[in-house]
Amino acid sequence: MSLFDLRLQDVHSKLNNKELTVSDLVDASYRRIAETDETIKAFLTLNEENARRQADSLDKQLLEGGERGLLFGLPAGVKDNIVTEGLLTTCASQFLSNYNPIYDATTVSKLKSAQSVTIGKLNMDEFAMGGSNENSSYYPTRNPWNPEYVPGGSSGGSAASVAAGQVYFSLGSDTGGSIRQPAAYCGIVGLKPTYGLVSRFGLVAFASSLDQIGPLTKNVEDSAYVLQSIAGYDEKDSTSANVDIPDYTCALTGDVKGLRIGVPREYLGEGIDPKVKEAVMQALKTFESMGATWEEVSLPHTEYAIATYYLLASSEASSNLARFDGVRYGVRADNPENLIDLYRKSRSQGFGPEVKRRIMLGTYALSSGYYDAYYLKAQKVRTLIKQDFDNVFNQYDIIIGPTAPTTAFKIGEQVGDPLTMYLNDICTIPVSLAGIPAISVPCGTADGMPIGLQIIGKAFDESTVLRAAHAFEQQTEFHKLRPQLG
């Protein structure tokens, strides 16, 4: 068994009993990366010198005693669109290949306060635009379950690093499903918090009204601990919600008796792989055996979610990425003829095909004569999608369905067909548009690849989402399955 298969409390118990040191954990992380990352390609930048220095400092603290952080000594990976002081933050783009931030994102500062150790920065789809990690401008990350398959995206590196046992946990970002979908593809736990619960300060913006940072872990309990460490109001983030943060670990009671579950018919209809549907139905039987009840419900505007999301997200991307012009930071094109030529060449050379595609779509939707027809109408449909969830939550505590319509697909299989790729997020995008929390937990396998179960909750009710996910996890063995890698 790997050290990183242990529960957080077990790791801390071994540290307290002097059976382990933080240096042992960090050594194990870098050793595993050396053994596996030539195949997996989860990391873009390693933080080895600083990580070992921090481990030494934490080991001294371990000997001296005293109060320790909630994530004390745990090796973590950080998605490369979350800025880290003194450590390259590239967003997997050539445009930011030389960007070395002078400050930490709020979530990174909170990880430091919780005393975890940042091992390095993780690969992703460029500027978080993609669902397979094939849009990284460096190299695609591969799925630890089968390196011929994608790990999902855009947080593919974050998911693969945890699944491969390279780090204890990682941070990812979720705009339309980019934590939950790769978690499902890699057989781990991925939590997208309520919009505003976790600070976005220091997260390089893709779509500001949708982006949210969250944890990827091997079990639900660890997800609760990481969320506890990173959640909370941040005055540096204008969209941060000033709400009370409960003790999420107290919600992990294993009891779901009386829980009312809604199951959207739209999430189990056409386009859902029969094996995925079967796994979800088996999961519902597990909940029934624990005393929960479920009924079929409808989220009638689901069919418009994909179009709505890509109009809104691309429009916001067009606006947010206007700052990358070759003048202020990032890579600048050589020998431009004038200022306009500098913009054109820098953006042409710096951005990859998928980023350009979304910028052009967003710019078109925001242009004169089309704003009302596309962007404004998409905002109205977004409201209807949120109202669908509100209506269901008037009668039910959580909503359950598949995280993704299929298991992971082969590298290269869909990258040339953007529309097919976009449809992989049909089950996750409506949740992002509504701004509510959801978690993906393993619920089975099909043809040797993991299947994810998505549990959706009311706004700021992460406690119920975690309680349901943890109870299901305790009744099954799926979260204990590991890829046979190395």
Side-chain angles (χ1 to χ4, degrees):
M1 175 186 280
S2 164
L3 287 174
F4 298 158
D5 286 330
L6 297 171
R7 293 167 60 240
L8 182 148
Q9 289 182 332
D10 294 332
V11 173
H12 281 176
S13 177
K14 286 182 177 293
L15 288 170
N16 290 335
N17 295 332
K18 308 299 188 290
E19 298 173 46
L20 267 181
T21 65
V22 177
S23 294
D24 290 335
L25 293 170
V26 171
D27 287 343
S29 180
Y30 284 118
R31 186 165 57 248
R32 183 63 174 166
I33 291 169
E35 293 169 353
T36 59
D37 213 48
E38 188 173 341
T39 299
I40 300 302
K41 302 289 187 185
F43 280 88
L44 290 174
T45 306
L46 294 178
N47 187 40
E48 192 162 357
E49 183 178 343
N50 287 333
R52 293 192 185 281
R53 188 183 304 119
Q54 187 181 358
D56 289 340
S57 175
L58 294 176
D59 282 334
K60 290 177 184 176
Q61 183 180 341
L62 195 61
L63 291 172
E64 294 167 359
E67 189 174 344
R68 293 193 285 272
L70 201 59
L71 305 176
F72 182 88
L74 298 178
V78 177
K79 187 176 179 179
D80 205 31
N81 61 344
I82 303 172
V83 301
T84 42
E85 182 180 2
L87 187 62
L88 282 175
T89 300
T90 71
C91 293
S93 175
Q94 294 304 310
F95 216 126
L96 291 178
S97 60
N98 64 354
Y99 178 50
N100 201 336
I102 59 173
Y103 68 99
D104 280 326
T106 296
T107 48
V108 173
S109 296
K110 290 196 170 194
L111 288 187
K112 288 181 177 178
S113 296
Q115 296 184 303
S116 71
V117 182
T118 299
I119 295 298
K121 303 300 288 292
L122 293 158
N123 200 9
M124 55 184 283
D125 286 300
E126 184 181 5
F127 283 102
M129 299 182 192
S132 67
N133 223 129
E134 293 170 282
N135 292 324
S136 168
S137 73
Y138 294 94
Y139 37 74
T141 298
R142 296 175 178 271
N143 194 314
W145 287 78
N146 186 331
E148 294 183 6
Y149 286 71
V150 302
S154 63
S155 304
S158 299
S161 64
V162 175
Q166 296 175 335
V167 291
Y168 192 85
F169 72 90
S170 67
L171 292 186
S173 67
D174 192 308
T175 305
S178 290
I179 288 174
R180 292 161 286 158
Q181 183 245 40
Y185 282 3
C186 291
I188 62 169
V189 175
L191 172 65
K192 184 203 89 71
T194 305
Y195 182 80
L197 182 68
V198 176
S199 173
R200 293 189 306 109
F201 179 76
L203 173 66
V204 179
F206 161 19
S208 302
S209 73
L210 296 158
D211 299 338
Q212 187 62 79
I213 295 172
L216 293 103
T217 61
K218 284 192 176 155
N219 59 64
V220 175
E221 182 181 7
D222 290 350
S223 187
Y225 274 104
V226 179
L227 182 63
Q228 194 76 51
S229 301
I230 64 174
Y233 175 69
D234 180 13
E235 62 182 11
K236 291 180 284 188
D237 174 10
S238 63
T239 61
S240 181
N242 194 354
V243 296
D244 292 333
I245 305 300
D247 186 340
Y248 295 114
T249 59
C250 290
L252 309 182
T253 62
D255 180 18
V256 293
K257 190 173 182 179
L259 197 72
R260 300 165 299 168
I261 302 170
V263 181
R265 64 175 64 98
E266 293 83 2
Y267 287 16
L268 292 172
E270 184 180 353
I272 305 299
D273 185 297
K275 293 179 181 177
V276 172
K277 181 177 180 179
E278 181 182 353
V280 172
M281 298 308 295
Q282 287 297 321
L284 290 169
K285 290 180 180 179
T286 300
F287 277 104
E288 277 187 319
S289 72
M290 292 187 285
T293 59
W294 68 273
E295 293 177 340
E296 186 178 88
V297 298
S298 179
L299 299 170
H301 294 95
T302 298
E303 64 178 299
Y304 306 111
I306 295 284
T308 299
Y309 170 82
Y310 279 99
L311 277 168
L312 296 178
S314 296
S315 296
E316 293 183 26
S318 171
S319 176
N320 280 324
L321 271 63
R323 73 193 68 181
F324 300 107
D325 54 12
V327 175
R328 285 161 283 193
Y329 46 79
V331 174
R332 178 180 298 185
D334 294 329
N335 303 316
E337 296 178 6
N338 51 46
L339 185 61
I340 300 301
D341 192 45
L342 171 65
Y343 294 159
R344 182 179 61 83
K345 285 183 177 178
S346 296
R347 290 169 69 81
S348 295
Q349 294 170 15
F351 291 139
E354 181 62 25
V355 176
K356 292 175 183 175
R357 183 181 294 119
R358 298 199 194 192
I359 289 173
M360 288 189 286
L361 174 61
T363 303
Y364 178 83
L366 292 174
S367 60
S368 178
Y370 297 99
Y371 178 92
D372 288 348
Y374 294 108
Y375 182 78
L376 188 60
K377 186 173 289 185
Q379 289 285 28
K380 292 177 179 179
V381 176
R382 180 179 189 171
T383 299
L384 295 175
I385 290 169
K386 182 182 182 302
Q387 288 174 352
D388 286 347
F389 283 103
D390 291 341
N391 291 336
V392 171
F393 283 130
N394 284 333
Q395 301 180 58
Y396 300 91
D397 301 305
I398 57 171
I399 294 170
I400 282 182
T403 306
T406 66
T407 55
F409 47 90
K410 285 188 174 182
I411 290 175
E413 193 170 84
Q414 296 184 12
V415 72
D417 186 354
L419 291 180
T420 299
M421 187 81 78
Y422 296 166
L423 290 172
N424 290 319
D425 293 331
I426 184 60
C427 299
T428 55
I429 278 175
V431 178
S432 296
L433 290 170
I436 53 181
I439 196 169
S440 178
V441 293
C443 70
T445 60
D447 303 319
M449 300 303 288
I451 298 171
L453 180 76
Q454 183 174 211
I455 301 172
I456 306 164
K458 302 173 186 177
F460 301 107
D461 191 15
E462 277 76 6
S463 292
T464 300
V465 171
L466 288 163
R467 174 163 66 96
H470 180 257
F472 173 75
E473 187 180 75
Q474 298 308 298
Q475 296 294 315
T476 65
E477 297 292 315
F478 301 122
H479 66 288
K480 296 181 181 179
L481 297 176
R482 297 287 179 258
Q484 300 302 308
L485 178 73

